Amino acid sequence: MTITDHRFLKGAPVAARIIEETREAALKAAAEGWPPQLVSVTVGDVDAVDVYVRNQRRKAEQAAIRFEEKRFPESISQVELVEAITAMNADPRVTGIIVQRPVPAHISIKQLQSAIDPSKDVEGMHPASIGNIVYNELDLAPCTAAASVELLKATGLDLKGLEVVIVGHSEIVGKPIAFLLMSEGATVTVCHHMTRSVAAHARRADALFVAVGKPRLIKADMVKPGAAVIDIGINAETGPDGAQKIVGDVDTDSVREIASWITPVPGGVGPVTVAILLRNTMVALNRQRAAQAPEGAATRTQEPA
């Protein structure tokens, strides 16, 4: 499928805008003695993780943010890993910390997220970061959720009063999207595995978000004509010839004939998610500056870690 249809809501242009804005802010902060630094934590050797890290490093360079990768052996204990994160929390040269997934089975990703200082939680995964969204403190929201909302905003639709349906209610995607959109004045319905008729709800939506991990779950007859469809799913599907390809949670070929906008998979939410990670790094830096030098008088010159 060639992504040339105007109905495709591509992530690259939105990501490029965010990265350019972030670059300007990062260069200004560095000139003032506050160079931003993002630290990536990888546990074990996973090829897929290496791909993500390389992409994050490349985009960080574009955004003028220093990127450092810290690799730990698969055999490391939970306690040792938490101690390492605690040391990064205390290091003033570290602006933000991201823990790459997956991690080995004996490591609790939730505990690692909780160990990160909320002021350095650029993924927006700390319980405090999630909780702050309820109180409309939205600037450090989970990256995928924030990226999805950013794409909806790119349509130009007025979010006030917009009828939004979210299929999927995870703590880091579905629920944060709901709170982010409610803060914009949207009317939000969240569907999950106990919802009696997902299709009935989905057909009402002016904007439909889908994040359940089920390939091609949403068909054309489940979408309101003219709707915006934000497909957050990433699934590996094996074709008749045995070849694998990445597909979303939406049956794109049929739904794009109904929707006014639809995000491609890949190439939709993914690029914007990385851009949001970098934007969050600058949000974190500004918070740290405010905490250490509330009047803006002091500067901090960092040496490489």
Side-chain angles (χ1 to χ4, degrees):
M1 178 179 61
T2 303
I3 310 298
T4 55
D5 194 307
H6 71 277
R7 288 166 290 195
F8 282 107
L9 186 58
K10 300 179 188 178
V14 177
R17 171 181 55 79
I18 294 171
I19 288 174
E20 181 55 33
E21 293 169 352
T22 301
R23 177 181 176 81
E24 292 177 7
L27 290 172
K28 184 175 184 292
E32 294 168 348
W34 291 79
Q37 176 175 281
L38 177 60
V39 175
S40 164
V41 174
T42 302
V43 186
D45 295 315
V46 181
D47 290 342
V49 170
D50 290 340
V51 173
Y52 292 138
V53 172
R54 284 196 299 271
N55 186 43
Q56 290 165 7
R57 180 187 297 279
R58 185 173 67 254
K59 296 301 181 182
E61 289 172 353
Q62 292 176 11
I65 293 174
R66 184 169 184 267
F67 186 92
E68 180 184 1
E69 183 182 6
K70 290 188 180 292
R71 281 185 170 270
F72 297 92
E74 187 173 355
S75 59
I76 192 171
S77 70
Q78 182 85 32
V79 171
E80 290 171 321
L81 205 47
V82 168
E83 288 175 349
I85 289 174
T86 302
M88 295 176 216
N89 288 337
D91 188 343
R93 298 168 297 183
V94 175
T95 307
I97 303 166
I98 174 173
V99 178
Q100 306 293 345
R101 284 171 291 276
V103 295
H106 69 281
I107 298 294
S108 166
I109 189 68
K110 186 175 181 180
Q111 285 185 27
L112 295 187
Q113 296 294 351
S114 298
I116 296 173
D117 187 311
S119 71
K120 299 189 178 188
D121 174 34
V122 292
E123 288 188 276
M125 301 286 199
H126 190 283
S129 302
I130 300 288
N132 284 339
I133 297 175
V134 179
Y135 297 99
N136 282 350
E137 294 179 25
L138 312 173
D139 54 353
L140 272 181
C143 296
T144 302
S148 302
V149 173
E150 199 75 34
L151 280 164
L152 178 60
K153 290 179 178 179
T155 66
L157 290 170
D158 185 358
L159 301 190
K160 295 181 180 64
L162 197 72
E163 189 79 29
V164 178
V165 172
I166 302 165
V167 181
H169 72 314
S170 73
E171 286 74 12
I172 61 174
V173 181
K175 289 177 183 174
I177 288 173
F179 282 110
L180 289 169
L181 289 170
M182 283 190 288
S183 75
E184 299 279 357
T187 301
V188 180
T189 299
V190 180
C191 299
H192 45 74
H193 65 282
M194 288 181 283
T195 301
R196 288 196 176 93
S197 177
V198 171
H201 290 289
R203 279 193 290 267
R204 285 203 327 265
D206 300 313
L208 178 64
F209 292 76
V210 192
V212 290
K214 294 185 178 180
R216 306 179 193 274
L217 172 69
I218 302 299
K219 309 294 186 184
D221 62 355
M222 299 171 70
V223 176
K224 179 180 179 179
V229 179
I230 311 298
D231 188 354
I232 309 164
I234 300 178
N235 310 282
E237 187 176 75
T238 303
D241 59 353
Q244 277 200 339
K245 66 176 181 177
I246 300 300
V247 300
D249 290 348
V250 175
D251 184 24
T252 303
D253 289 341
S254 65
V255 170
R256 69 177 175 146
E257 301 301 325
I258 301 296
S260 287
W261 300 272
I262 183 170
T263 55
V265 178
V269 175
V272 185
T273 298
V274 178
I276 295 291
L277 171 70
L278 301 174
R279 186 173 76 182
N280 281 358
T281 301
M282 291 310 301
V283 171
L285 180 65
N286 291 335
R287 287 187 178 186
Q288 292 159 30
R289 290 184 68 170
Q292 294 186 40
E295 301 304 320
T299 60
R300 176 195 61 183
T301 301
Q302 297 178 337
E303 296 297 329

